[in-house]
Amino acid sequence: MRRLEPSLPDEIGAQFGPYEIVRRLGVGGTAETFEAIRRREGGFSQRVCLKVVLPFYADNETFTKLFQREAMLAAKLRHRNIVGVIDFGEVDGRSYLALELVDGIDLRTLLDTSDRHRLDPDLVVLFGLELAAALVHAHNP
């Protein structure tokens, strides 16, 4: 099995199309995510989460179509528990999604800071209800 390596530079200020990379957030099985800034004329700037397809999948037409479908479907969703799609496209043959950047901590960090790496049951119920609300919205827009 081929190892899927991240590919964009992790250096502050590296460019990916109209986006300036601030830092890498993570790498998954098919894409990597970055905190990035989109700058426009007149001093406009916006922090985003930039999701970029890994090079291994860049030439896979089936995967690219699925990624584009994900972008189009996600762009239609507006809900407090679903990050918004700001932009999507392609730079140098690499598909990307620019998503709303949500400040906060990830689940792993939350677990690492909790007693015995377990969440309070009331918090788990709250997360479950909020996730269910997002899923209901996504399947019944």
Side-chain angles (χ1 to χ4, degrees):
M1 179 179 214
R2 255 176 120 163
R3 187 169 172 195
L4 303 178
E5 295 288 335
S7 61
L8 293 183
D10 203 10
E11 303 165 13
I12 292 174
Q15 286 295 134
F16 180 79
Y19 299 94
E20 179 183 324
I21 302 297
V22 174
R23 67 186 172 106
R24 178 173 278 115
L25 297 172
V27 178
T30 60
E32 53 193 326
T33 56
F34 300 89
E35 178 180 343
I37 299 174
R38 179 174 63 163
R39 299 187 196 283
R40 297 289 190 214
E41 296 173 14
F44 173 85
S45 68
Q46 182 178 31
R47 291 174 56 232
V48 301
C49 173
L50 191 63
K51 180 178 179 181
V52 182
V53 171
L54 291 171
F56 180 80
Y57 293 99
D59 294 330
N60 183 324
E61 189 175 331
T62 301
F63 179 81
T64 300
K65 285 181 181 178
L66 286 172
F67 190 81
Q68 289 170 348
R69 183 170 184 262
E70 172 190 345
M72 290 187 287
L73 291 172
K76 294 177 182 178
L77 299 175
R78 295 285 180 265
H79 190 272
R80 70 183 185 279
N81 298 336
I82 301 173
V83 296
V85 174
I86 296 166
D87 184 23
F88 71 98
E90 191 176 293
V91 173
D92 298 329
R94 304 272 305 281
S95 296
Y96 71 87
L97 273 169
L99 304 164
E100 172 186 7
L101 183 65
V102 178
D103 286 321
I105 61 172
D106 59 48
L107 183 58
R108 171 57 44 212
T109 302
L110 187 59
L111 286 169
D112 288 346
T113 59
S114 63
D115 288 341
R116 296 176 295 156
H117 300 285
R118 292 184 181 184
L119 298 178
D120 180 89
D122 290 339
L123 188 57
V124 173
V125 169
L126 176 63
F127 287 167
L129 289 171
E130 295 297 327
L131 177 60
L135 288 170
V136 167
H137 178 76
H139 291 281
N140 301 299

